[in-house]
Coordinates of all heavy atoms in Angstrom, one line a residue:
R1 N -6.0 -72.8 -90.3 CA -7.3 -73.3 -90.2 C -8.2 -72.6 -91.1 O -8.3 -71.3 -91.0 CB -7.9 -73.3 -88.8 CG -7.0 -74.4 -87.9 CD -7.5 -74.1 -86.5 NE -7.3 -72.7 -86.1 CZ -7.5 -72.2 -85.0 NH1 -7.8 -72.9 -83.9 NH2 -7.3 -71.0 -84.8
V2 N -9.0 -73.3 -91.8 CA -10.0 -72.7 -92.7 C -11.5 -73.3 -92.4 O -11.5 -74.5 -92.4 CB -9.7 -72.9 -94.2 CG1 -10.7 -72.3 -95.2 CG2 -8.3 -72.3 -94.5
L3 N -12.4 -72.5 -92.2 CA -13.8 -72.9 -92.0 C -14.5 -72.9 -93.3 O -14.5 -71.9 -94.0 CB -14.5 -72.1 -91.0 CG -16.0 -72.2 -90.8 CD1 -16.4 -73.7 -90.5 CD2 -16.6 -71.2 -89.8
L4 N -15.0 -74.0 -93.7 CA -15.8 -74.1 -95.0 C -17.3 -74.2 -94.6 O -17.6 -75.1 -93.9 CB -15.4 -75.3 -95.8 CG -13.9 -75.5 -96.1 CD1 -13.6 -76.8 -96.7 CD2 -13.4 -74.3 -96.9
A5 N -18.1 -73.3 -95.0 CA -19.5 -73.3 -94.6 C -20.4 -73.2 -95.9 O -20.3 -72.3 -96.6 CB -19.8 -72.1 -93.7
D6 N -21.1 -74.3 -96.1 CA -21.9 -74.5 -97.3 C -22.9 -75.6 -97.0 O -22.6 -76.6 -96.5 CB -21.1 -74.8 -98.5 CG -21.8 -74.6 -99.9 OD1 -23.0 -75.0 -100.0 OD2 -21.2 -74.0 -100.7
D7 N -24.1 -75.4 -97.4 CA -25.2 -76.4 -97.2 C -25.1 -77.6 -98.2 O -25.9 -78.5 -98.1 CB -26.6 -75.8 -97.1 CG -27.0 -75.1 -98.3 OD1 -26.2 -74.4 -98.9 OD2 -28.2 -75.2 -98.7
E8 N -24.4 -77.3 -99.3 CA -24.4 -78.4 -100.4 C -23.1 -79.3 -100.2 O -22.0 -78.8 -100.3 CB -24.3 -77.7 -101.7 CG -25.5 -77.0 -102.2 CD -26.7 -78.0 -102.4 OE1 -26.4 -79.1 -102.8 OE2 -27.8 -77.6 -102.1
P9 N -23.3 -80.6 -99.8 CA -22.2 -81.4 -99.6 C -21.2 -81.5 -100.8 O -20.0 -81.6 -100.6 CB -22.9 -82.8 -99.4 CG -24.3 -82.5 -98.9 CD -24.6 -81.2 -99.6
A10 N -21.7 -81.5 -102.0 CA -20.8 -81.5 -103.2 C -19.9 -80.3 -103.1 O -18.7 -80.5 -103.5 CB -21.6 -81.5 -104.5
N11 N -20.4 -79.2 -102.8 CA -19.5 -77.9 -102.7 C -18.4 -78.2 -101.7 O -17.2 -77.7 -101.9 CB -20.3 -76.7 -102.5 CG -21.2 -76.4 -103.6 OD1 -21.1 -76.9 -104.7 ND2 -22.2 -75.6 -103.3
L12 N -18.8 -78.6 -100.5 CA -17.8 -78.9 -99.4 C -16.8 -79.9 -99.9 O -15.6 -79.8 -99.6 CB -18.5 -79.4 -98.2 CG -19.3 -78.3 -97.4 CD1 -20.1 -79.0 -96.3 CD2 -18.5 -77.2 -96.9
R13 N -17.2 -81.0 -100.6 CA -16.2 -82.0 -101.1 C -15.2 -81.4 -102.1 O -14.0 -81.6 -102.0 CB -16.9 -83.1 -101.7 CG -17.6 -84.1 -100.7 CD -17.9 -85.4 -101.4 NE -19.0 -85.2 -102.4 CZ -20.3 -85.2 -102.1 NH1 -20.8 -85.3 -100.9 NH2 -21.2 -85.0 -103.1
V14 N -15.7 -80.5 -103.0 CA -14.8 -79.8 -103.9 C -13.8 -78.9 -103.2 O -12.5 -79.0 -103.4 CB -15.5 -79.0 -104.9 CG1 -14.6 -78.0 -105.7 CG2 -16.3 -79.8 -105.8
L15 N -14.2 -78.2 -102.2 CA -13.3 -77.3 -101.5 C -12.4 -78.2 -100.7 O -11.1 -77.8 -100.5 CB -14.1 -76.3 -100.5 CG -14.9 -75.2 -101.3 CD1 -15.8 -74.6 -100.3 CD2 -13.9 -74.3 -101.9
Q16 N -12.9 -79.2 -100.1 CA -12.0 -80.1 -99.3 C -10.9 -80.7 -100.1 O -9.7 -80.7 -99.7 CB -12.8 -81.2 -98.6 CG -12.0 -82.2 -97.8 CD -12.8 -83.3 -97.3 OE1 -14.0 -83.5 -97.6 NE2 -12.3 -84.1 -96.4
H17 N -11.3 -81.2 -101.3 CA -10.3 -81.8 -102.2 C -9.2 -80.8 -102.6 O -8.0 -81.2 -102.6 CB -11.0 -82.3 -103.5 CG -10.1 -82.9 -104.4 ND1 -9.5 -84.1 -104.3 CD2 -9.6 -82.4 -105.6 CE1 -8.7 -84.4 -105.3 NE2 -8.8 -83.4 -106.2
V18 N -9.5 -79.6 -102.8 CA -8.6 -78.5 -103.2 C -7.7 -78.1 -102.1 O -6.5 -77.9 -102.2 CB -9.3 -77.3 -103.8 CG1 -8.3 -76.2 -104.1 CG2 -10.0 -77.7 -105.1
L19 N -8.2 -78.0 -100.8 CA -7.6 -77.4 -99.7 C -6.9 -78.4 -98.6 O -6.1 -77.9 -97.8 CB -8.6 -76.4 -99.0 CG -9.1 -75.3 -99.9 CD1 -10.2 -74.5 -99.1 CD2 -7.9 -74.4 -100.2
Q20 N -7.4 -79.7 -98.6 CA -7.1 -80.5 -97.5 C -5.5 -80.8 -97.3 O -5.2 -81.0 -96.2 CB -7.8 -81.8 -97.6 CG -7.3 -82.7 -98.8 CD -8.2 -83.9 -99.0 OE1 -9.0 -84.2 -98.1 NE2 -8.1 -84.7 -100.0
T21 N -4.8 -80.7 -98.4 CA -3.3 -81.1 -98.1 C -2.6 -79.8 -97.6 O -1.5 -80.0 -97.0 CB -2.7 -81.4 -99.5 OG1 -2.8 -80.3 -100.5 CG2 -3.2 -82.7 -100.1
D22 N -3.1 -78.7 -97.6 CA -2.4 -77.5 -97.1 C -3.0 -76.8 -95.9 O -2.3 -76.0 -95.2 CB -2.3 -76.4 -98.2 CG -1.5 -76.8 -99.4 OD1 -0.4 -77.5 -99.2 OD2 -2.0 -76.7 -100.5
Y23 N -4.2 -77.2 -95.6 CA -4.9 -76.5 -94.4 C -5.6 -77.4 -93.5 O -6.1 -78.6 -94.0 CB -5.9 -75.5 -95.0 CG -5.3 -74.5 -95.9 CD1 -5.3 -74.6 -97.2 CD2 -4.7 -73.4 -95.3 CE1 -4.7 -73.7 -98.0 CE2 -4.1 -72.3 -96.1 CZ -4.1 -72.5 -97.5 OH -3.5 -71.6 -98.3
R24 N -5.8 -77.1 -92.3 CA -6.7 -77.8 -91.3 C -8.1 -77.3 -91.6 O -8.3 -76.1 -91.5 CB -6.3 -77.6 -89.9 CG -7.2 -78.4 -88.9 CD -6.6 -78.2 -87.5 NE -7.7 -78.5 -86.6 CZ -8.2 -77.6 -85.8 NH1 -7.6 -76.5 -85.6 NH2 -9.2 -78.0 -85.1
L25 N -9.0 -78.2 -92.0 CA -10.3 -77.7 -92.3 C -11.4 -78.0 -91.3 O -11.4 -79.0 -90.6 CB -10.7 -78.4 -93.7 CG -9.8 -78.2 -94.8 CD1 -10.3 -79.0 -96.0 CD2 -9.7 -76.8 -95.2
L26 N -12.3 -77.0 -91.2 CA -13.5 -77.2 -90.4 C -14.7 -77.1 -91.3 O -14.6 -76.3 -92.3 CB -13.5 -76.0 -89.3 CG -12.3 -75.9 -88.5 CD1 -12.3 -74.5 -87.7 CD2 -12.3 -77.0 -87.4
F27 N -15.8 -77.8 -90.9 CA -16.9 -77.8 -91.8 C -18.2 -77.5 -91.1 O -18.5 -77.9 -90.0 CB -17.1 -79.2 -92.5 CG -15.9 -79.7 -93.3 CD1 -14.9 -80.4 -92.7 CD2 -15.8 -79.4 -94.6 CE1 -13.8 -80.8 -93.4 CE2 -14.7 -79.7 -95.4 CZ -13.7 -80.5 -94.7
A28 N -19.1 -76.7 -91.8 CA -20.4 -76.4 -91.3 C -21.4 -76.5 -92.5 O -21.0 -76.0 -93.6 CB -20.4 -75.0 -90.7
R29 N -22.5 -77.0 -92.2 CA -23.5 -77.1 -93.3 C -24.7 -76.2 -93.1 O -25.7 -76.2 -93.8 CB -24.1 -78.6 -93.3 CG -22.9 -79.5 -93.7 CD -23.3 -80.7 -94.5 NE -24.4 -80.6 -95.4 CZ -25.2 -81.7 -95.5 NH1 -25.0 -82.8 -94.9 NH2 -26.3 -81.6 -96.3
D30 N -24.6 -75.4 -92.1 CA -25.6 -74.3 -92.0 C -25.0 -73.0 -91.3 O -23.9 -73.2 -90.7 CB -26.9 -74.7 -91.3 CG -26.6 -75.2 -89.9 OD1 -26.1 -74.4 -89.0 OD2 -27.0 -76.3 -89.5
G31 N -25.8 -71.9 -91.3 CA -25.2 -70.7 -90.8 C -25.0 -70.8 -89.2 O -24.0 -70.2 -88.7
D32 N -25.9 -71.3 -88.5 CA -25.8 -71.4 -87.1 C -24.5 -72.2 -86.6 O -23.8 -71.7 -85.8 CB -27.0 -72.1 -86.5 CG -28.3 -71.3 -86.6 OD1 -28.2 -70.1 -86.3 OD2 -29.3 -71.9 -87.1
K33 N -24.2 -73.3 -87.3 CA -23.0 -74.1 -87.1 C -21.7 -73.3 -87.4 O -20.8 -73.4 -86.8 CB -23.1 -75.5 -87.8 CG -21.9 -76.4 -87.5 CD -21.9 -76.9 -86.1 CE -20.8 -78.0 -86.0 NZ -20.8 -78.6 -84.7
A34 N -21.8 -72.7 -88.6 CA -20.7 -71.8 -89.0 C -20.3 -70.8 -87.9 O -19.2 -70.6 -87.6 CB -21.0 -71.2 -90.3
L35 N -21.4 -70.2 -87.4 CA -21.1 -69.2 -86.4 C -20.6 -69.7 -85.1 O -19.6 -69.2 -84.5 CB -22.4 -68.3 -86.1 CG -22.3 -67.1 -85.2 CD1 -21.3 -66.1 -85.7 CD2 -23.7 -66.4 -85.1
Q36 N -21.1 -70.9 -84.7 CA -20.6 -71.6 -83.5 C -19.1 -72.0 -83.7 O -18.3 -71.8 -82.8 CB -21.4 -72.8 -83.2 CG -22.8 -72.6 -82.7 CD -23.7 -73.8 -82.7 OE1 -23.2 -74.9 -82.9 NE2 -25.0 -73.7 -82.4
L37 N -18.8 -72.6 -84.8 CA -17.4 -73.0 -85.1 C -16.5 -71.9 -85.2 O -15.3 -71.9 -84.6 CB -17.3 -73.8 -86.3 CG -17.7 -75.4 -86.2 CD1 -17.8 -75.9 -87.6 CD2 -16.8 -76.1 -85.4
A38 N -16.9 -70.8 -85.8 CA -16.0 -69.6 -85.9 C -15.8 -69.0 -84.6 O -14.6 -68.7 -84.2 CB -16.7 -68.6 -86.9
T39 N -16.7 -68.9 -83.7 CA -16.6 -68.4 -82.4 C -15.7 -69.3 -81.5 O -14.8 -68.7 -80.8 CB -17.9 -68.2 -81.7 OG1 -18.8 -67.3 -82.5 CG2 -17.8 -67.6 -80.4
R40 N -15.9 -70.6 -81.6 CA -15.1 -71.5 -80.8 C -13.7 -71.7 -81.2 O -12.7 -71.8 -80.5 CB -15.9 -72.8 -80.7 CG -15.2 -73.8 -79.7 CD -16.0 -75.1 -79.5 NE -15.8 -75.9 -80.7 CZ -16.9 -76.5 -81.4 NH1 -18.1 -76.3 -81.0 NH2 -16.6 -77.2 -82.5
E41 N -13.6 -71.9 -82.6 CA -12.2 -72.3 -83.1 C -11.4 -71.2 -83.7 O -10.2 -71.3 -83.8 CB -12.4 -73.3 -84.2 CG -13.1 -74.6 -83.9 CD -12.2 -75.5 -83.0 OE1 -11.1 -75.5 -83.2 OE2 -12.9 -76.2 -82.2
R42 N -12.0 -70.1 -84.0 CA -11.3 -68.9 -84.5 C -10.4 -69.2 -85.6 O -9.2 -69.1 -85.5 CB -10.6 -68.1 -83.4 CG -11.6 -67.6 -82.3 CD -11.0 -66.4 -81.6 NE -11.8 -66.0 -80.5 CZ -11.5 -66.2 -79.3 NH1 -10.4 -66.6 -78.9 NH2 -12.5 -65.8 -78.4
P43 N -11.0 -69.7 -86.8 CA -10.2 -70.0 -88.0 C -9.4 -68.8 -88.5 O -9.8 -67.6 -88.2 CB -11.2 -70.6 -88.9 CG -12.5 -69.8 -88.5 CD -12.4 -69.7 -87.0
D44 N -8.5 -69.1 -89.3 CA -7.7 -68.0 -89.9 C -8.4 -67.4 -91.2 O -8.1 -66.3 -91.6 CB -6.3 -68.6 -90.4 CG -5.6 -69.1 -89.2 OD1 -5.3 -68.3 -88.3 OD2 -5.3 -70.3 -89.2
L45 N -9.4 -68.2 -91.7 CA -10.1 -67.7 -92.9 C -11.4 -68.5 -93.0 O -11.5 -69.6 -92.5 CB -9.3 -68.1 -94.2 CG -10.0 -67.9 -95.5 CD1 -10.2 -66.3 -95.7 CD2 -9.2 -68.4 -96.6
I46 N -12.5 -67.9 -93.4 CA -13.8 -68.5 -93.5 C -14.2 -68.4 -95.0 O -14.2 -67.2 -95.6 CB -14.9 -67.8 -92.7 CG1 -14.5 -68.0 -91.2 CG2 -16.3 -68.5 -92.9 CD1 -15.4 -67.2 -90.3
L47 N -14.5 -69.4 -95.7 CA -15.1 -69.6 -97.0 C -16.6 -69.8 -96.8 O -17.0 -70.9 -96.3 CB -14.5 -70.6 -97.9 CG -13.0 -70.4 -98.1 CD1 -12.4 -71.5 -99.0 CD2 -12.6 -69.1 -98.7
L48 N -17.4 -69.0 -97.1 CA -18.8 -68.9 -96.7 C -19.8 -68.8 -97.8 O -19.7 -67.9 -98.6 CB -19.0 -67.7 -95.7 CG -20.3 -67.5 -95.0 CD1 -20.7 -68.7 -94.1 CD2 -20.2 -66.3 -94.1
D49 N -20.7 -69.7 -97.9 CA -21.8 -69.7 -98.9 C -22.8 -68.6 -98.4 O -23.0 -68.4 -97.2 CB -22.6 -71.0 -99.0 CG -23.6 -71.0 -100.0 OD1 -23.5 -70.2 -101.0 OD2 -24.5 -72.0 -100.0
V50 N -23.4 -67.9 -99.3 CA -24.4 -66.9 -99.0 C -25.8 -67.5 -98.6 O -26.4 -67.2 -97.6 CB -24.6 -65.9 -100.1 CG1 -25.7 -64.9 -99.8 CG2 -23.3 -65.2 -100.3
M51 N -26.3 -68.5 -99.4 CA -27.6 -69.0 -99.2 C -27.5 -70.3 -98.5 O -27.1 -71.4 -99.1 CB -28.3 -69.2 -100.6 CG -28.5 -68.0 -101.4 SD -29.1 -68.2 -103.0 CE -27.9 -69.2 -103.8
M52 N -27.9 -70.3 -97.2 CA -27.9 -71.5 -96.4 C -29.1 -71.5 -95.5 O -29.7 -70.4 -95.2 CB -26.6 -71.5 -95.4 CG -25.3 -71.6 -96.2 SD -23.9 -72.0 -95.1 CE -23.8 -70.4 -94.2
P53 N -29.5 -72.7 -95.0 CA -30.6 -72.7 -94.0 C -30.3 -72.0 -92.7 O -29.1 -71.9 -92.4 CB -30.8 -74.2 -93.9 CG -29.6 -74.9 -94.3 CD -28.9 -74.0 -95.3
G54 N -31.3 -71.6 -92.0 CA -31.0 -70.9 -90.7 C -30.5 -69.5 -91.0 O -31.0 -68.8 -91.8
L55 N -29.4 -69.2 -90.4 CA -28.7 -68.0 -90.7 C -28.1 -68.0 -92.1 O -27.4 -69.0 -92.4 CB -27.6 -67.6 -89.7 CG -28.0 -67.5 -88.2 CD1 -26.7 -67.4 -87.4 CD2 -28.9 -66.2 -88.1
S56 N -28.3 -67.0 -92.8 CA -27.7 -66.8 -94.1 C -26.1 -66.6 -94.0 O -25.8 -66.2 -92.9 CB -28.3 -65.7 -95.0 OG -28.0 -64.5 -94.5
G57 N -25.4 -66.7 -95.1 CA -24.1 -66.4 -94.9 C -23.8 -64.9 -94.6 O -22.9 -64.5 -93.9
L58 N -24.7 -64.0 -95.2 CA -24.6 -62.6 -94.9 C -24.8 -62.3 -93.4 O -24.1 -61.6 -92.8 CB -25.6 -61.8 -95.8 CG -25.5 -60.3 -95.6 CD1 -24.1 -59.8 -95.9 CD2 -26.6 -59.7 -96.5
E59 N -25.7 -63.0 -92.8 CA -26.1 -62.8 -91.4 C -24.9 -63.4 -90.5 O -24.6 -62.7 -89.5 CB -27.4 -63.6 -91.0 CG -28.6 -62.9 -91.6 CD -29.8 -63.7 -91.5 OE1 -29.8 -65.0 -91.7 OE2 -31.0 -63.2 -91.2
V60 N -24.3 -64.5 -91.0 CA -23.2 -65.0 -90.2 C -22.0 -64.0 -90.3 O -21.5 -63.7 -89.2 CB -22.8 -66.4 -90.8 CG1 -21.4 -66.8 -90.2 CG2 -23.8 -67.4 -90.6
C61 N -21.8 -63.5 -91.4 CA -20.7 -62.5 -91.7 C -20.9 -61.3 -90.7 O -20.0 -60.8 -90.0 CB -20.5 -62.2 -93.1 SG -19.0 -61.1 -93.4
Q62 N -22.1 -60.8 -90.8 CA -22.4 -59.5 -90.0 C -22.3 -59.9 -88.5 O -21.7 -59.0 -87.7 CB -23.8 -59.1 -90.3 CG -23.9 -58.5 -91.6 CD -25.4 -58.3 -92.1 OE1 -26.3 -58.9 -91.6 NE2 -25.6 -57.4 -93.0
A63 N -22.7 -61.0 -88.0 CA -22.6 -61.4 -86.6 C -21.1 -61.5 -86.3 O -20.7 -61.1 -85.1 CB -23.3 -62.7 -86.4
L64 N -20.3 -62.1 -87.2 CA -18.8 -62.3 -86.8 C -18.2 -61.0 -86.7 O -17.3 -60.8 -85.9 CB -18.2 -63.2 -87.9 CG -18.5 -64.6 -88.0 CD1 -18.0 -65.2 -89.3 CD2 -18.1 -65.3 -86.8
K65 N -18.6 -60.0 -87.7 CA -17.9 -58.7 -87.6 C -18.4 -57.9 -86.4 O -17.7 -56.9 -86.0 CB -18.2 -58.0 -88.9 CG -17.6 -58.6 -90.1 CD -16.2 -59.0 -90.0 CE -15.6 -59.9 -91.0 NZ -14.2 -60.1 -90.8
A66 N -19.5 -58.2 -85.7 CA -20.0 -57.5 -84.6 C -19.3 -58.0 -83.2 O -19.5 -57.3 -82.2 CB -21.5 -57.6 -84.6
Q67 N -18.6 -59.1 -83.3 CA -18.0 -59.7 -82.1 C -16.6 -59.4 -82.1 O -15.8 -59.7 -83.1 CB -18.2 -61.2 -82.1 CG -19.7 -61.7 -82.0 CD -19.7 -63.2 -81.9 OE1 -18.8 -63.9 -81.6 NE2 -20.8 -63.7 -82.6
P68 N -16.1 -58.8 -81.0 CA -14.7 -58.5 -80.9 C -13.7 -59.6 -81.1 O -12.7 -59.5 -81.8 CB -14.5 -58.0 -79.5 CG -15.8 -57.6 -79.1 CD -16.8 -58.4 -79.8
D69 N -14.1 -60.8 -80.8 CA -13.2 -62.0 -80.8 C -13.1 -62.5 -82.3 O -12.2 -63.3 -82.6 CB -13.7 -63.2 -80.0 CG -13.5 -62.8 -78.5 OD1 -12.7 -61.9 -78.2 OD2 -14.0 -63.5 -77.6
T70 N -14.1 -62.2 -83.2 CA -14.2 -62.8 -84.5 C -14.1 -61.7 -85.6 O -14.0 -62.1 -86.8 CB -15.4 -63.6 -84.7 OG1 -16.5 -62.9 -84.4 CG2 -15.3 -64.9 -83.8
T71 N -14.1 -60.5 -85.2 CA -14.2 -59.4 -86.2 C -13.0 -59.4 -87.2 O -13.2 -58.9 -88.4 CB -14.4 -58.1 -85.6 OG1 -14.7 -57.1 -86.5 CG2 -13.1 -57.5 -84.9
S72 N -11.9 -59.9 -86.8 CA -10.7 -59.8 -87.7 C -10.5 -61.0 -88.6 O -9.7 -61.1 -89.4 CB -9.4 -59.6 -86.8 OG -9.2 -60.7 -86.1
I73 N -11.4 -62.0 -88.5 CA -11.4 -63.2 -89.3 C -11.8 -62.8 -90.7 O -13.0 -62.4 -90.9 CB -12.2 -64.3 -88.7 CG1 -11.7 -64.8 -87.3 CG2 -12.1 -65.6 -89.7 CD1 -12.6 -65.8 -86.7
P74 N -11.0 -63.0 -91.7 CA -11.4 -62.6 -93.1 C -12.5 -63.7 -93.5 O -12.3 -64.9 -93.3 CB -10.1 -62.7 -93.9 CG -9.2 -63.4 -93.1 CD -9.6 -63.4 -91.6
V75 N -13.5 -63.1 -94.2 CA -14.6 -64.0 -94.8 C -14.6 -63.8 -96.3 O -14.6 -62.6 -96.8 CB -15.9 -63.6 -94.2 CG1 -17.1 -64.3 -94.9 CG2 -16.0 -63.8 -92.7
I76 N -14.6 -64.8 -97.0 CA -14.7 -64.8 -98.5 C -16.0 -65.5 -98.8 O -16.2 -66.7 -98.4 CB -13.5 -65.5 -99.2 CG1 -12.2 -64.7 -98.9 CG2 -13.8 -65.5 -100.7 CD1 -11.0 -65.4 -99.5
F77 N -16.9 -64.8 -99.5 CA -18.1 -65.5 -100.0 C -17.9 -66.4 -101.1 O -17.2 -65.9 -102.1 CB -19.3 -64.5 -100.2 CG -19.9 -64.0 -99.0 CD1 -19.9 -62.6 -98.7 CD2 -20.6 -64.8 -98.2 CE1 -20.4 -62.1 -97.6 CE2 -21.2 -64.4 -97.0 CZ -21.1 -63.0 -96.7
V78 N -18.3 -67.6 -101.1 CA -18.2 -68.6 -102.2 C -19.6 -68.9 -102.5 O -20.3 -69.7 -101.8 CB -17.4 -69.8 -101.8 CG1 -17.3 -70.8 -103.0 CG2 -16.0 -69.5 -101.3
T79 N -20.1 -68.4 -103.6 CA -21.6 -68.5 -103.9 C -21.9 -68.4 -105.4 O -21.0 -68.0 -106.2 CB -22.3 -67.3 -103.2 OG1 -23.7 -67.5 -103.5 CG2 -21.8 -66.0 -103.7
A80 N -23.0 -68.9 -105.8 CA -23.4 -68.9 -107.2 C -24.0 -67.5 -107.5 O -24.2 -67.1 -108.7 CB -24.5 -70.0 -107.5
L81 N -24.3 -66.7 -106.5 CA -24.9 -65.4 -106.7 C -23.9 -64.5 -107.4 O -22.7 -64.3 -106.8 CB -25.4 -64.7 -105.4 CG -26.5 -65.4 -104.7 CD1 -26.8 -64.8 -103.3 CD2 -27.8 -65.5 -105.5
Q82 N -24.2 -63.9 -108.5 CA -23.3 -63.1 -109.2 C -23.7 -61.7 -109.6 O -23.0 -60.9 -110.2 CB -23.0 -63.8 -110.6 CG -22.4 -65.1 -110.4 CD -22.2 -65.8 -111.8 OE1 -22.3 -65.2 -112.8 NE2 -21.8 -67.1 -111.8
D83 N -24.9 -61.3 -109.0 CA -25.4 -59.9 -109.4 C -24.7 -58.9 -108.5 O -24.2 -59.2 -107.4 CB -26.9 -59.9 -109.2 CG -27.3 -60.1 -107.8 OD1 -27.4 -61.3 -107.4 OD2 -27.6 -59.2 -107.1
E84 N -24.6 -57.6 -109.0 CA -24.0 -56.6 -108.4 C -24.5 -56.3 -107.0 O -23.7 -56.0 -106.0 CB -24.0 -55.3 -109.2 CG -23.0 -55.3 -110.4 CD -23.1 -54.0 -111.2 OE1 -23.4 -53.0 -110.5 OE2 -22.8 -54.0 -112.3
H85 N -25.8 -56.4 -106.8 CA -26.4 -56.1 -105.6 C -26.0 -57.1 -104.5 O -25.6 -56.7 -103.3 CB -28.0 -56.1 -105.7 CG -28.7 -56.0 -104.4 ND1 -28.7 -54.7 -103.7 CD2 -29.3 -56.9 -103.6 CE1 -29.4 -54.9 -102.6 NE2 -29.8 -56.2 -102.5
S86 N -26.0 -58.4 -104.8 CA -25.5 -59.4 -103.9 C -24.1 -59.2 -103.4 O -23.7 -59.3 -102.3 CB -25.8 -60.8 -104.4 OG -27.1 -61.0 -104.6
E87 N -23.2 -58.9 -104.5 CA -21.8 -58.6 -104.2 C -21.6 -57.4 -103.4 O -20.9 -57.4 -102.3 CB -21.1 -58.4 -105.5 CG -19.5 -58.4 -105.3 CD -18.8 -58.4 -106.7 OE1 -19.4 -58.8 -107.7 OE2 -17.7 -57.9 -106.7
A88 N -22.3 -56.3 -103.6 CA -22.2 -55.1 -102.8 C -22.7 -55.4 -101.4 O -22.1 -54.9 -100.4 CB -23.1 -54.0 -103.4
E89 N -23.8 -56.2 -101.2 CA -24.3 -56.6 -99.9 C -23.2 -57.4 -99.1 O -23.1 -57.2 -97.9 CB -25.5 -57.4 -100.0 CG -26.6 -57.1 -99.1 CD -27.9 -57.9 -99.4 OE1 -27.9 -58.9 -100.1 OE2 -29.0 -57.4 -99.0
G90 N -22.5 -58.3 -99.8 CA -21.5 -59.1 -99.1 C -20.4 -58.2 -98.7 O -19.9 -58.4 -97.5
F91 N -19.9 -57.3 -99.5 CA -18.8 -56.4 -99.0 C -19.3 -55.5 -97.9 O -18.5 -55.2 -96.9 CB -18.3 -55.6 -100.2 CG -17.4 -56.3 -101.1 CD1 -17.7 -56.5 -102.4 CD2 -16.2 -56.9 -100.6 CE1 -16.9 -57.3 -103.3 CE2 -15.4 -57.7 -101.5 CZ -15.7 -57.8 -102.8
A92 N -20.6 -55.0 -98.0 CA -21.1 -54.2 -96.9 C -21.2 -54.9 -95.6 O -21.1 -54.3 -94.5 CB -22.4 -53.5 -97.4
G93 N -21.5 -56.2 -95.7 CA -21.6 -57.1 -94.5 C -20.2 -57.4 -93.9 O -20.2 -58.0 -92.9
G94 N -19.1 -57.1 -94.5 CA -17.9 -57.3 -94.0 C -17.0 -58.3 -94.7 O -15.9 -58.6 -94.2
A95 N -17.4 -58.9 -95.8 CA -16.5 -59.8 -96.5 C -15.4 -59.1 -97.1 O -15.4 -57.9 -97.5 CB -17.3 -60.6 -97.6
V96 N -14.2 -59.9 -97.2 CA -13.0 -59.3 -97.9 C -13.0 -59.6 -99.4 O -12.2 -59.0 -100.2 CB -11.7 -59.8 -97.2 CG1 -11.7 -59.3 -95.8 CG2 -11.5 -61.3 -97.3
D97 N -13.8 -60.6 -99.8 CA -13.8 -61.0 -101.2 C -15.2 -61.7 -101.5 O -15.8 -62.2 -100.6 CB -12.7 -61.9 -101.7 CG -12.3 -61.6 -103.2 OD1 -13.2 -61.1 -103.9 OD2 -11.2 -62.1 -103.6
Y98 N -15.5 -61.8 -102.8 CA -16.8 -62.3 -103.2 C -16.6 -63.2 -104.4 O -16.0 -62.8 -105.3 CB -17.8 -61.2 -103.4 CG -19.2 -61.6 -103.5 CD1 -20.0 -61.5 -102.4 CD2 -19.8 -62.1 -104.7 CE1 -21.3 -61.9 -102.5 CE2 -21.1 -62.4 -104.8 CZ -21.9 -62.4 -103.7 OH -23.2 -62.7 -103.7

């Protein structure tokens, strides 16, 4: 199971198209929903946008890493942000890749 979290429907469609034949997918369009789904469904992997309404992807990742039930779920940030500071922040927040 893979949780895809992005506020842009086009981005979710692209990820869905690439992954749907091999994985059971869960979808969230904001940070709050991503956190709820991750806590309830405990996916095997989370592909997470950084810039989302409500909780940002970074805040979601930090919240997941602070909870014993979700701390071991790997998070990969999928984002347009490419600067070193954003990448360092993502890794510091608990992501396994950026």
Side-chain angles (χ1 to χ4, degrees):
R1 289 174 305 189
V2 178
L3 170 57
L4 308 175
D6 197 311
D7 61 319
E8 290 294 327
N11 294 343
L12 289 175
R13 281 193 299 275
V14 168
L15 291 169
Q16 178 182 13
H17 179 72
V18 171
L19 300 170
Q20 68 186 350
T21 57
D22 297 314
Y23 301 96
R24 181 173 157 241
L25 302 176
L26 306 164
F27 299 94
R29 296 213 27 218
D30 62 57
D32 294 311
K33 181 69 172 182
L35 189 55
Q36 291 170 7
L37 277 173
T39 302
R40 186 177 71 230
E41 299 290 331
R42 295 203 188 115
D44 300 299
L45 175 66
I46 300 172
L47 301 180
L48 184 60
D49 185 21
V50 174
M51 299 176 296
M52 292 189 295
L55 294 175
S56 71
L58 183 59
E59 291 169 321
V60 170
C61 188
Q62 291 169 334
L64 291 170
K65 298 306 171 184
Q67 296 179 29
D69 291 343
T70 57
T71 192
S72 65
I73 301 172
V75 174
I76 297 174
F77 281 118
V78 180
T79 182
L81 295 175
Q82 298 178 10
D83 62 280
E84 284 183 27
H85 175 73
S86 296
E87 187 173 339
E89 222 176 21
F91 284 118
V96 297
D97 207 347
Y98 195 94

